[in-house]
Amino acid sequence: NQIGDWIEQWLRLRNVAIEPQALILLVSCLGANLQLIENELNKILAQQPENKAARIDKDMIYENINIDKEFNIFELINALGERNGLKSIQIATYLSLQAKNNPTIMIVAQLYSFYLKVAKLKQRRNISEGEAAKLLGVHPFWVKQYLAAARVHTFSQVVGNIQHLQEADLALKGISTTQMSEAHILKSLVLNLLH
């Protein structure tokens, strides 16, 4: 939960700002590998004209880092949070075909983190966005997505989804026996998360 602050500070030292959605996208796609993040930011900054305002937006992230605008973990979490079945299945299918760039085990870990945060919100009533950001340890921009998901999921659905994610995790790690491929595990998981 401190990676975003580190990125903002790193950029501030270079007189560069970053939009909240670009920051979240960057962190969600690159994780906590500071060297990788620094390399990708340097690549973005090197391509900016000197007379242009120093501000990174989400389009710059999409253009300079190998992330598909419509079919990425960020969009899968959005679609599942909204319970958008068609979009969720389309994204899961695409990600399963790109397993080298999108390891299923990492997708499961990010979905688990998402639903765990939604579960925390479901246990609280009438929480403000600021309180929710503190509770979850996330950037305030990100909170709206968690609050929206908390509104469309019941607590029992969230708990059930966490159980589905744990089962998928065990299957991917070979702890539970299954004959399914990683792609099939991901698609089955997404269907389970929607019901």
Side-chain angles (χ1 to χ4, degrees):
N1 65 354
Q2 297 174 2
I3 298 296
D5 293 337
W6 182 88
I7 293 170
E8 287 179 317
Q9 182 180 5
W10 189 91
L11 288 169
R12 202 174 302 117
L13 292 171
R14 288 151 183 83
N15 297 318
V16 178
I18 185 167
E19 292 180 355
Q21 195 168 13
L23 177 64
I24 291 164
L25 181 61
L26 186 68
V27 172
S28 69
C29 293
L30 299 180
N33 183 333
L34 299 181
Q35 186 62 52
L36 177 61
I37 292 169
E38 190 172 348
N39 290 344
E40 295 298 333
L41 288 172
N42 279 324
K43 184 168 67 173
I44 292 169
L45 295 178
Q47 295 186 19
Q48 299 310 307
E50 293 200 24
N51 61 349
K52 189 174 179 184
R55 183 168 185 83
I56 296 175
D57 61 26
K58 71 176 183 169
D59 290 332
M60 296 165 95
I61 302 295
Y62 283 124
E63 289 167 11
N64 292 286
I65 299 174
N66 191 19
I67 304 169
D68 189 292
K69 279 188 178 184
E70 294 180 44
F71 299 102
N72 57 60
I73 184 61
F74 186 69
E75 294 301 323
L76 178 60
I77 289 171
N78 282 336
L80 287 168
E82 296 168 356
R83 297 182 61 82
N84 183 332
L86 179 61
K87 188 173 180 183
S88 298
I89 292 166
Q90 288 175 332
I91 295 169
T93 300
Y94 176 84
L95 293 175
S96 68
L97 295 172
Q98 304 291 326
K100 184 178 178 184
N101 297 329
N102 305 289
T104 305
I105 195 76
M106 297 302 293
I107 293 170
V108 169
Q110 289 179 308
L111 291 172
Y112 181 81
S113 175
F114 173 75
Y115 282 107
L116 205 57
K117 287 177 174 66
V118 174
K120 286 181 182 179
L121 290 178
K122 291 299 289 182
Q123 294 174 342
R124 303 282 299 268
R125 297 217 186 273
N126 301 324
I127 189 169
S128 71
E129 287 185 14
E131 292 170 327
K134 267 186 195 171
L135 173 69
L136 302 178
V138 298
H139 193 281
F141 176 82
W142 196 250
V143 169
K144 291 177 185 175
Q145 181 185 29
Y146 293 110
L147 290 170
R151 283 191 292 275
V152 298
H153 289 81
T154 65
F155 185 72
S156 62
Q157 287 172 328
V158 175
V159 170
N161 285 351
I162 290 171
Q163 290 172 337
H164 292 308
L165 288 158
Q166 289 171 332
E167 291 165 7
D169 183 62
L170 292 174
L172 290 165
K173 292 176 178 172
I175 296 171
S176 68
T177 56
T178 181
Q179 300 297 323
M180 293 191 293
S181 66
E182 279 193 29
H184 193 111
I185 291 170
L186 179 60
K187 289 184 216 173
S188 296
L189 171 63
V190 168
L191 288 173
N192 289 333
L193 294 174
L194 290 166
H195 298 292

